[in-house]
Amino acid sequence: GPKVLQIPSHQIIDMGQMVTLNCDPVSNHLYFYWYKQILGQQMEFLVNFYNGKVMEKSKLFKDQFSVERPDGSYFTLKIQPTALEDSAVYFCASSLEQGGNTEVFFGKGTRLTVV
Amino acid sequence: QQNVQQSPESLIVPEGARTSLNCTFSDSASQYFWWYRQHSGKAPKALMSIFSNGEKEEGRFTIHLNKASLHFSLHIRDSQPSDSALYLCAPLSGSFNKLTFGAGTRLAVCP
């Protein structure tokens, strides 16, 4: 079936540095999402993105976070600068349409460790 | 702010058993209700969704939805070891496919 690929699966970064998480969404999908899961907690919505714009973001999407998908390539989440509390698994997702009965496909996640 | 609670946290059942997983939500405006399944080390994958009150069956899996009681559930008939996974419920709210996930129920089906 359709797959969302996330690279790398694990990344370790020094606090204060910049990190970019990469996501290769399903090829014909138009809507893109990031979710964050802190260890032992549930997966929480961060942001969704359509037609080059952020459509909705949660309070977890701090000013240090940004998303983009330049020229239809990877959908990225950039954190600059990183903080210890940014350590989590970040899941990328995509969907073809916006309707509630449209399946949202998830990647396996990138585990980010900020030290 | 949607609050989603799942019960039980974990469950061990013998192969062939009927399994029931529960989910409550707080936003009465939620319109679609999804169950996702995540096998260890894999991506969460959509299992089923429901829109209207009532019941929906797909193979061994059945969803019940009761919007008035803010409750939906997943039932697995003839549970198989391959059903062992983390099950996540996720009501959808807002205009942009925003899913709010519960913490999950970890199911183990023993042969």
Side-chain angles (χ1 to χ4, degrees), chain B:
Chain B
Q1 177 85 4
Q2 176 85 272
N3 182 19
V4 179
Q5 299 292 326
Q6 289 189 243
S7 63
E9 285 186 15
S10 63
L11 194 54
I12 303 174
V13 301
E15 185 175 354
R18 176 181 164 85
T19 302
S20 295
L21 311 176
N22 297 296
C23 184
T24 60
F25 56 98
S26 61
D27 183 1
S28 57
S30 300
Q31 296 184 323
Y32 280 88
F33 302 83
W34 285 86
W35 282 96
Y36 275 74
R37 182 166 71 178
Q38 185 178 23
H39 286 106
S40 183
K42 305 288 188 186
K45 171 123 179 70
L47 195 57
M48 286 177 71
S49 67
I50 192 167
F51 172 68
S52 304
N53 268 339
E55 181 179 300
K56 180 179 178 182
E57 182 178 329
E58 288 183 4
R60 296 184 295 109
F61 298 88
T62 303
I63 300 181
H64 288 277
L65 171 63
N66 185 328
K67 289 185 183 181
S69 62
L70 303 175
H71 178 264
F72 68 116
S73 56
L74 175 69
H75 306 272
I76 307 173
R77 177 172 47 86
D78 188 24
S79 299
Q80 299 296 306
S82 57
D83 295 329
S84 298
L86 181 68
Y87 287 79
L88 302 164
C89 68
L92 188 144
S93 53
S95 305
F96 301 107
N97 283 22
K98 179 181 168 183
L99 294 166
T100 301
F101 286 91
T105 293
R106 190 164 296 282
L107 173 66
V109 181
C110 300

Side-chain angles (χ1 to χ4, degrees), chain A:
Chain A
K3 286 193 189 307
V4 174
L5 300 175
Q6 291 190 244
I7 306 158
S9 58
H10 193 181
Q11 191 153 359
I12 302 173
I13 194 114
D14 290 326
M15 183 176 63
Q17 298 297 303
M18 181 194 78
V19 68
T20 300
L21 306 183
N22 294 306
C23 171
D24 188 8
V26 179
S27 61
N28 61 337
H29 283 188
L30 301 174
Y31 295 83
F32 311 104
Y33 315 83
W34 284 102
Y35 284 74
K36 175 182 179 181
Q37 185 175 33
I38 294 172
L39 187 64
Q41 299 183 23
Q42 54 228 69
M43 200 157 52
E44 293 188 87
F45 171 82
L46 275 179
V47 66
N48 55 21
F49 187 84
Y50 168 72
N51 198 25
K53 292 180 235 178
V54 169
M55 305 306 291
E56 186 178 2
K57 58 186 179 181
S58 73
K59 60 185 179 199
L60 296 178
F61 194 80
K62 303 182 299 184
D63 291 342
Q64 297 90 327
F65 289 26
S66 62
V67 291
E68 63 176 358
R69 192 180 187 224
D71 300 325
S73 59
Y74 284 160
F75 177 51
T76 63
L77 173 65
K78 185 185 294 185
I79 309 174
Q80 181 178 25
T82 49
L84 293 176
E85 61 264 27
D86 296 330
S87 294
V89 178
Y90 290 84
F91 289 91
C92 174
S94 69
S95 66
L96 178 61
E97 297 172 342
Q98 183 179 287
N101 63 346
T102 300
E103 183 176 348
V104 178
F105 291 82
F106 283 81
K108 291 184 182 182
T110 293
R111 180 176 299 280
L112 175 67
T113 303
V114 181
V115 297

